[in-house]
């Protein structure tokens, strides 16, 4: 089994992945979107009161990262309890993919059927690290596999909106990371070892997260709470 190339630390309100070495990344996030290089990836747990209409989310997030001592980190914001994070690892033909995700589904939607206004906060924030370097094209392809695996997990989880399965949330975020050094792999499709490893890790972690969120939701309702777990 290949050794993980990062440490994972959960000290609310921060969940931090720190890589042994800076990694190439591709994804969408408020800070460092697109192609970037990062050593730290941080989930910042927030509440609705933190992000009022007068709050600049970029400035807010930058301030929180400075507070965490990770001012240059790539970051996600989530209202999900970050202690409810989920990890999965899949190794195929010596290539490993590791997924770390937080899954909140109060804001679940079906692709192509945008809600006018989401009644709750909720998001799926997914980081996937691949143990081998990837070309730009392979990072893009890997990103598509992450989205496909996340969606497959949510569809299999089974919640429906207007009779059709939900496919994610309105604010999902994905980042794929891979080493900078070495000869990069040019492909990451479903038929490759890279793609199989990515898909397996993401599907497992996301489905586990969705089931945990459902359990938390049921417990909140049973306790007579009005608010729902994000």
């Amino acid at each position: 089994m290949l050794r993980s190339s990062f440490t994972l630390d959960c000290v609310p309100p921060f969940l931090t992945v720190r890589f042994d070495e800076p990694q190439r990344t591709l994804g969408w996030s408020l800070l460092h979107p697109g192609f970037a290089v990062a050593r730290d990836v941080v989930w910042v747990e927030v509440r609705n009161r933190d992000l009022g209409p007068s709050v600049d989310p970029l400035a807010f997030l930058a301030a929180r990262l400075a507070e965490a001592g990770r001012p240059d980190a790539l970051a996600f914001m989530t209202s999900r309890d970050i202690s409810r994070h989920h990890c999965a690892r899949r190794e195929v033909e010596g290539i490993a993919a590791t997924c770390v995700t937080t899954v909140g589904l109060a804001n679940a939607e079906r692709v192509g059927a945008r809600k006018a206004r989401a009644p709750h906060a909720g998001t799926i924030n997914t980081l996937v690290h691949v143990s081998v370097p990837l070309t730009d094209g392979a990072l893009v392809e890997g990103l598509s596999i992450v989205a496909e695996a996340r969606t497959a997990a949510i569809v299999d989880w089974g919640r429906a909106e207007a009779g059709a399965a939900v496919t994610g949330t309105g604010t999902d975020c994905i980042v794929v990371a891979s080493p900078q050094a070495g000869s990069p792999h040019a492909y990451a499709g479903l038929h490759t070892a890279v793609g199989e490893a990515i898909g397996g890790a993401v599907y497992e972690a996301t489905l586990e997260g969705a089931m945990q969120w459902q359990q938390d939701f049921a417990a909140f309702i049973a306790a007579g709470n009005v608010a729902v777990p994000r």
Side-chain angles (χ1 to χ4, degrees):
M1 179 69 70
L2 297 171
R3 183 180 71 87
S4 294
S5 61
F6 61 80
T7 58
L8 181 66
D9 186 35
C10 185
V11 180
F14 306 111
L15 172 67
T16 303
V17 165
R18 184 167 180 82
F19 293 107
D20 295 344
E21 300 288 343
Q23 305 290 297
R24 292 194 70 225
T25 63
L26 175 64
W28 60 93
S29 60
L30 286 174
L31 300 176
H32 312 300
F35 289 99
V37 174
R39 185 168 188 179
D40 301 304
V41 179
V42 180
W43 285 250
V44 180
E45 184 178 329
V46 298
R47 290 293 175 262
N48 288 341
R49 63 179 177 271
D50 297 323
L51 295 170
S54 63
V55 175
D56 180 343
L58 286 172
F60 172 86
L61 187 55
R64 283 296 179 90
L65 292 177
E67 176 188 337
R70 300 282 189 262
D72 298 321
L74 191 157
F76 303 118
M77 284 196 292
T78 180
S79 59
R80 182 68 166 130
D81 178 353
I82 57 169
S83 68
R84 297 298 209 193
H85 61 273
H86 299 271
C87 305
R89 180 183 173 86
R90 180 70 62 87
E91 184 174 341
V92 180
E93 298 174 11
I95 296 172
T98 306
C99 176
V100 181
T101 188
T102 53
V103 181
L105 291 160
N107 187 26
E109 297 196 31
R110 171 130 181 127
V111 66
R114 179 169 57 115
K115 293 178 180 176
R117 183 176 178 84
H120 302 291
T123 193
I124 305 171
N125 288 316
T126 304
L127 168 68
V128 180
H129 180 257
V130 182
S131 63
V132 295
L134 302 174
T135 63
D136 287 358
L139 278 168
V140 172
E141 194 170 22
L143 199 70
S144 76
I145 301 301
V146 177
E148 185 173 346
R150 175 213 58 196
T151 301
I154 297 306
V155 169
D156 287 352
W157 169 61
R159 178 173 162 183
E161 291 280 343
V166 298
T167 57
T169 85
T171 49
D172 287 355
C173 188
I174 295 170
V175 171
V176 178
S178 70
Q180 297 186 85
S183 179
H185 287 240
Y187 305 103
L190 290 175
H191 59 287
T192 68
V194 173
E196 182 181 350
I198 290 173
V202 173
Y203 180 89
E204 179 182 339
T206 306
L207 184 58
E208 182 181 280
M211 294 174 69
Q212 181 67 67
W213 182 87
Q214 188 171 31
Q215 291 176 14
D216 291 346
F217 179 84
F220 267 60
I221 296 302
N225 290 291
V226 176
V228 299
R230 271 55 170 179

